C-alpha cells in the first residue's frame, strides 16, 4: 500500500496540472513583471491574468487582489495594516478559534495599544451573532472571523456576520485559507472588506497567498519598496507561484467537493462505529468537506497517530500548524473539551486525491489500533 496522506488541512499535494502551468515560469518565462522588455511584459500578463482568476472566484475586482507569501502574511497584513491606518488605536473583534497567525498578531497588537475581544464559540464551534453584537464598541474598526476552521472544520455564517458589520459600518475580514474553493465565497453577498486566501491548501504551491482588499479600504502597507501590488506590497512578484495558485483555483470543481463529502461521510460513519468515539466540530452540513476530527476519549491521540504513521497513514493531532508548541489545541478547548479529551483527539483531513480504497484501509486498521491501545494505556477521564 502506498502512503495514505490524511493531513490535507496542513498542506496538499501539488496538482500535476498546476505544476505543468508553473514550470515554464522557472525556465523560459522568467522575466521580472516590472521590466519593460518583452519577457517582463509576458510575466506581467501572467501576473494580471492570475489576479483576474482569483478575483473572479470570490466576486471581486482584479485590482482588489494583493498577492502575498501565504495566509500568515495576508492575515498579518490585514490586522496590522488596518490598525496602523486607524492611527494605532481602536478595537478589534475576533474569535477564540482563529489560526495562530491571527491570534498571535492580535496579541502583538494588544502590546501596541490595540484592544481585542476574543469571542467564544458554542460546542460545535459556531460564533453567536448576538455575542458579536454585544461586543461592538464605538471604537471597533475591524471584525476578523475565520470562515472554515482548520482543526474542526466548522464553517461560520459569514452572510449573517457581514450584515452586522455592514449595519454598523465596521470593516469585516475573514481567514478563508481552509474554505477557499470548498465553500462559496462572495465578497459582496458576505459584505467582506478583506479575505485571506492561500494556495497550498488547494493543491497549489506553498509560499503564495492573497489578501482581498475592498476598493478604498483604509490599510497601511507593511512592505515598502518599489511600489509593487498597487503600492501595497513591494517585492518582485512570484510569477510561477501566482500562476500555480490561479491554476489550482481553475482546476478545483464542485465535483471534488461532492467526492470529498462522500469520503468524509464514510470515514466519519466508520469512526463513530468504534466504541466511545465522538465527533468534534459541526455535526451538520456547515462543515468543511475535507475535515474529520474525533476524540477517542480514553487513549492518547499521539499514540494513535504514531501507530497510523507506522502503517503509512499521515494524520494530525490538533493543528499541525501549531504542533511546534506543546500547548493543547486552543480550538478544542474553546468548544469545551477537557485537557484529557483534547489529548485523545486526532484530525484526519482528506483531499480529492484520496480514494475509497484508502478509506476502507484506514477503517480496517484504526479499530485494531484503538483496541490494542485501550488494552495498554487507558486514560481515566
Ligand atoms: C486557517 C488558516 N489560516 C492561515 C494559515 C497559514 O497559511 P500559510 O501556511 O499559507 O501561511 C493556515 C495554514 O496553516 C490556516 O489553516
Amino acid at each position: 500500500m502506498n502512503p495514505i496522506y490524511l493531513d490535507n488541512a496542513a498542506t496538499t499535494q501539488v496538482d500535476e496540472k498546476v505544476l505543468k502551468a508553473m514550470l515554464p515560469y522557472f525556465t523560459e518565462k522568467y522575466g521580472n513583471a516590472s521590466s519593460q522588455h518583452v519577457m517582463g511584459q509576458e510575466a506581467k500578463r501572467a501576473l494580471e491574468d492570475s489576479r483576474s482568476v482569483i478575483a473572479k472566484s470570490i466576486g471581486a475586482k482584479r485590482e482588489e487582489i494583493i498577492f502575498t507569501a501565504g495566509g500568515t502574511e495576508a492575515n498579518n497584513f490585514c490586522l496590522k495594516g488596518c490598525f496602523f491606518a486607524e492611527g494605532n488605536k481602536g478595537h478589534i473583534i475576533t474569535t477564540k478559534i482563529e489560526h495562530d497567525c491571527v491570534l498571535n498578531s492580535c496579541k502583538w497588537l494588544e502590546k501596541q495599544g490595540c484592544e481585542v475581544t476574543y469571542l467564544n464559540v458554542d460546542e460545535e464551534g459556531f460564533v453567536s451573532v448576538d455575542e458579536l453584537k454585544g461586543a461592538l464598541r464605538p471604537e471597533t474598526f475591524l471584525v476578523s472571523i475565520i470562515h472554515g476552521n482548520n482543526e474542526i472544520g466548522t464553517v461560520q455564517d459569514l452572510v449573517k456576520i457581514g450584515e452586522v458589520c455592514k449595519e454598523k459600518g465596521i470593516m469585516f475580514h475573514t481567514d478563508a485559507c481552509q474554505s477557499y474553493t470548498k465553500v462559496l465565497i462572495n465578497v459582496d453577498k458576505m459584505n467582506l472588506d478583506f479575505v485571506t486566501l492561500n494556495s497550498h491548501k488547494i493543491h497549489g504551491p506553498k509560499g503564495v497567498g492573497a489578501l482581498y482588499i475592498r476598493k478604498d479600504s483604509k490599510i497601511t502597507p507593511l512592505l515598502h519598496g518599489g511600489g509593487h501590488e498597487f503600492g501595497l506590497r513591494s517585492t518582485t512578484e512570484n510569477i510561477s507561484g501566482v500562476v500555480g495558485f490561479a491554476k489550482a483555483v481553475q482546476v478545483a470543481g464542485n465535483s471534488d467537493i461532492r467526492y470529498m463529502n462522500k469520503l468524509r461521510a464514510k470515514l466519519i460513519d466508520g469512526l463513530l462505529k468504534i466504541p466511545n468515539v465522538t465527533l468534534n466540530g459541526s455535526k451538520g452540513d456547515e462543515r468543511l468537506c475535507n475535515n474529520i476530527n474525533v476524540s477517542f476519549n480514553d487513549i492518547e491521540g499521539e499514540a494513535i497517530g504514531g501507530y497510523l504513521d507506522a502503517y503509512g497513514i499521515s494524520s494530525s493531532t490538533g493543528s499541525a500548524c501549531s504542533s511546534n508548541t506543546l500547548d493543547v489545541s486552543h480550538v478544542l478547548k474553546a468548544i469545551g473539551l477537557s485537557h484529557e479529551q483534547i489529548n485523545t483527539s486526532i484530525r484526519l483531513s482528506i483531499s480529492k486525491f484520496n480514494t475509497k480504497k484508502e478509506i476502507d484501509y484506514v477503517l480496517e486498521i484504526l479499530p485494531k489500533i484503538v483496541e490494542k491501545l485501550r488494552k495498554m494505556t487507558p486514560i481515566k477521564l
Side-chain angles (χ1 to χ4, degrees), residues 9-10 69-73 75 99 101 146 148 150 175 177-178 198 200-201 208 321:
T72 301
E73 183 193 321
N75 282 335
H99 188 270
C101 61
I146 190 167
N150 47 306
D175 174 356
C177 284
Q178 294 285 341
N198 78 356
H200 73 101
K201 314 282 184 187
V208 194
C321 316

Side-chain angles (χ1 to χ4, degrees), residues 18 21-22 25 43-51 53-54 65-69 199 205-210 229 233 237-250:
V18 169
M22 291 174 72
Y25 292 92
K44 176 82 178 159
R45 256 196 316 278
L47 173 69
E48 296 313 324
D49 288 350
S50 303
R51 202 189 304 282
V53 170
I54 309 290
I65 299 295
I66 305 300
F67 285 113
T68 66
S199 146
K206 295 174 181 57
V208 194
E229 300 290 288
R233 191 216 183 228
E237 299 90 346
N238 175 3
I239 304 298
S240 55
V242 304
V243 165
F245 185 13
K247 192 69 184 177
V249 172
Q250 283 174 320

